[in-house]
Amino acid sequence: MSLRRLSASWRALAPLAAPLPRARPAPAFPPFPLRASTSAAAAPATLKSFLIYRYNPDTDSAPTMQSYEIDTATCGPMVLDALIKIKDELDPTLTFRRSCREGICGSCAMNIDGGNTLACLKPIDDAPVSEATAIYPLPHMPVIKDLVPDMSNFYAQYRSIKPWLQADASVPTADGAEYLQSKEDRLHLDGLYECVLCACCSTSCPSYWWNHDTYLGPAVLLQAFRWIVDSRDVKTKERLEFLDDKMKLYRCHNIGNCTATCPKHLDPNAAIDKIRNAISNEKVLAA
């Protein structure tokens, strides 16, 4: 089978559809003990409570939930702003990740009021001031401290798909530096390259909860599809063969939590389906 025939079959794959709205149940967290409240003086109308997961494996025997109260009138609009205010003004021991504050780096992924999202994109006023906002680390991941999960396994899985362009080095480029791509081929990457690897989708997936050591999960599979449909890449067949595994790929049961929770409004569920279709097409062409 020639690379020309194989490449044509992948280019025939339609771009990702718009995310489908799918309801998903909120993760069930254990009722951790509640620590004493820490608050800043404020007018009652703008005072809001935040219940935050606290756990240091080196010193704590079990996780607890600590309550903080802040004046939202003197705070930025996002949950990340509230966390920074709490750390700066109330409790410097509170630990969480953050960087860009613009939904680009993926660092501040956490579970807020039962849904995985980026704290920098989650408005405080999504919940009324009178209701406490509950904040947990991403579910079903080991916790390093407080809201910081251990992402080592997630990044190792990402590394396994070889997430870089594997182009034909024997084909000369226009200026010796770039591998050119048509505008039509470039459109196939929309809905894929925007992924920031925050792991919100993977940690919302029940299949990933129970098989995180063998199932690659929706985030890594979406990234894998990004390279499969790249017209400049010549390792499409090898990439599909790597994914054609009952655990790496086929543990997905199309539950759809991944698409429902993605803070970048991408559709990992559709990407996984298209990988399966590509593998089926490859087998048909090889027959």
Side-chain angles (χ1 to χ4, degrees):
M1 177 179 60
S2 69
L3 282 176
R4 184 184 300 274
R5 291 179 60 198
L6 187 61
S7 176
S9 68
W10 312 145
R11 293 180 188 176
L13 295 171
L16 288 177
L20 298 175
R22 299 174 189 241
R24 76 179 180 90
F29 290 99
F32 300 121
L34 184 64
R35 294 186 185 180
S37 173
T38 303
S39 64
T46 57
L47 198 65
K48 183 172 176 63
S49 296
F50 291 83
L51 289 172
I52 301 179
Y53 177 102
R54 302 300 308 273
Y55 181 53
N56 184 347
D58 294 333
T59 59
D60 298 337
S61 60
T64 59
M65 297 298 290
Q66 184 162 357
S67 177
Y68 300 91
E69 291 183 327
I70 64 169
D71 182 3
T72 57
T74 61
C75 179
M78 301 300 177
V79 171
L80 181 59
D81 295 313
L83 290 171
I84 293 172
K85 184 178 180 68
I86 291 169
K87 185 175 181 67
D88 287 349
E89 300 178 9
L90 301 178
D91 187 351
T93 69
L94 178 63
T95 305
F96 54 91
R97 289 191 179 110
R98 54 111 173 175
S99 184
C100 75
R101 300 179 65 168
E102 298 293 338
I104 295 172
C105 71
S107 299
C108 63
M110 54 191 72
N111 185 283
I112 303 173
D113 284 336
N116 294 351
T117 189
L118 297 176
C120 65
L121 298 183
K122 179 72 171 177
I124 294 173
D125 61 8
D126 270 5
V129 161
S130 59
E131 296 181 7
T133 293
I135 306 176
Y136 296 83
L138 290 176
H140 294 268
M141 276 190 168
V143 173
I144 295 175
K145 185 183 178 186
D146 295 342
L147 302 176
V148 178
D150 186 346
M151 306 278 283
S152 301
N153 179 66
F154 178 79
Y155 289 135
Q157 291 175 322
Y158 178 57
R159 190 182 305 115
S160 75
I161 65 167
K162 299 182 179 179
W164 54 82
L165 183 66
Q166 299 183 72
D168 188 348
S170 65
V171 177
T173 59
D175 57 5
E178 295 184 48
Y179 289 92
L180 300 181
Q181 187 175 46
S182 71
K183 292 181 179 180
E184 293 75 18
D185 286 338
R186 165 61 185 78
L187 287 175
H188 289 300
L189 305 183
D190 286 350
L192 301 170
Y193 77 89
E194 301 94 331
C195 173
V196 296
L197 292 169
C198 64
C200 283
C201 62
S202 291
T203 54
S204 72
C205 172
S207 293
Y208 191 75
W209 295 348
W210 314 132
N211 304 281
H212 62 274
D213 54 336
T214 51
Y215 173 48
L216 292 180
V220 172
L221 290 172
L222 180 140
Q223 288 284 339
F225 187 62
R226 176 256 178 275
W227 296 106
I228 288 169
V229 296
D230 194 318
S231 61
R232 301 163 295 179
D233 194 275
V234 298
K235 296 294 184 179
T236 304
K237 184 175 185 295
E238 290 82 354
R239 293 184 187 276
L240 292 174
E241 288 175 346
F242 173 75
L243 296 175
D244 189 12
D245 179 89
K246 68 178 182 179
M247 295 304 296
K248 291 176 183 174
L249 173 65
Y250 294 102
R251 294 306 296 173
C252 171
H253 298 298
N254 295 103
I255 297 170
N257 286 4
C258 53
T259 295
T261 201
C262 177
K264 302 294 285 185
H265 308 292
L266 307 181
D267 195 348
N269 194 65
I272 293 170
D273 281 344
K274 291 180 180 181
I275 292 174
R276 290 166 168 164
N277 291 339
I279 290 173
S280 297
N281 291 341
E282 189 269 342
K283 290 179 177 177
V284 169
L285 290 173

